[in-house]
Amino acid sequence: MPRPNSCDVHGPLEDRSCTPGALNPAVTQATLSSTICRSGGYTDSVRPPESYTEPLKYRLMAAYGFGGRSAANFELDHLIPLEVGGAPSDPRNLWPEPHSGAPDAYKKDVVENQLHDQVCSGQISLGRAQRDSLDWVVQYHGGSATGGQSHSGNSSSGGLGGPGSTSPGDKDCADFSTQAQAQAFFTAHGGSPSYNFDGLDGDHDGQACETLP
């Protein structure tokens, strides 16, 4: 459990040193039909009770420097979502995600649902979905940090977009939590005429968001 005020705040994004993500070992490629893809649903059966999550939420809010703020404005969210086999109760997979900002908890839900659907339809592997969920901001905006190629919209190749999106749109460094995420998105959309490069590479040196960790 991280100490109070020990986690860096990148807007609504997780601090990967405090929230690196963790997996549920019961969910594997071989057990999809009996776990995340089973008929009747899965997440409610593994979601931890409020008696556990509510105290943890306040402790993690303090760790992220949100102590004293209204808990109603935050969601204790799983970095690797339950829908793709994230660990339900491990504090390493949970952080207090704001309900507002760019991006926010609601936008992450879009990524979670699409990754789950793509795994259960056989479009992508479980491992791919779990890796992509770590870069959920990139995925929401239509990029692919792990796949090494550009995807846009809701294509079957694994790219995710915001609701109704047809292009990556304008971005700035506040949309990403690390330089690596920003660089992956910048590289993936390097040829898009609709993209505002100044948002990530103001000095046009090919390196995105140098001030991010």
Side-chain angles (χ1 to χ4, degrees), residues 59-213:
R59 293 179 68 184
L60 288 174
M61 284 179 62
Y64 270 83
F66 296 135
R69 297 177 61 175
S70 173
N73 295 327
F74 297 85
E75 175 179 327
L76 189 63
D77 206 2
H78 295 88
L79 177 57
I80 302 176
L82 300 181
E83 290 90 332
V84 295
S89 304
D90 193 324
R92 296 173 299 173
N93 198 40
L94 289 157
W95 95 101
E97 184 181 16
H99 283 144
S100 61
D104 58 31
Y106 303 115
K107 293 179 176 65
K108 187 173 184 295
D109 289 342
V110 174
V111 177
E112 295 176 356
N113 292 334
Q114 286 193 282
L115 287 175
H116 171 267
D117 290 347
Q118 289 174 340
V119 170
C120 292
S121 64
Q123 296 178 55
I124 61 175
S125 69
L126 176 66
R128 166 69 183 270
Q130 291 169 342
R131 291 191 298 272
D132 282 355
S133 70
L134 293 172
D135 288 307
W136 62 274
V137 177
V138 175
Q139 296 302 312
Y140 178 80
H141 289 308
S144 178
T146 60
Q149 63 187 103
S150 173
H151 304 302
S152 62
N154 298 328
S155 70
S156 61
S157 57
L160 305 173
S165 68
T166 56
S167 69
D170 294 346
K171 305 292 179 296
D172 59 38
C173 291
D175 288 322
F176 304 92
S177 58
T178 67
Q179 182 184 353
Q181 290 179 355
Q183 188 66 40
F185 182 86
F186 178 83
T187 301
H189 294 94
S192 171
S194 63
Y195 179 68
N196 174 17
F197 290 102
D198 290 340
L200 298 183
D201 185 21
D203 57 1
H204 302 282
D205 67 349
Q207 189 70 28
C209 300
E210 289 97 326
T211 59
L212 285 177

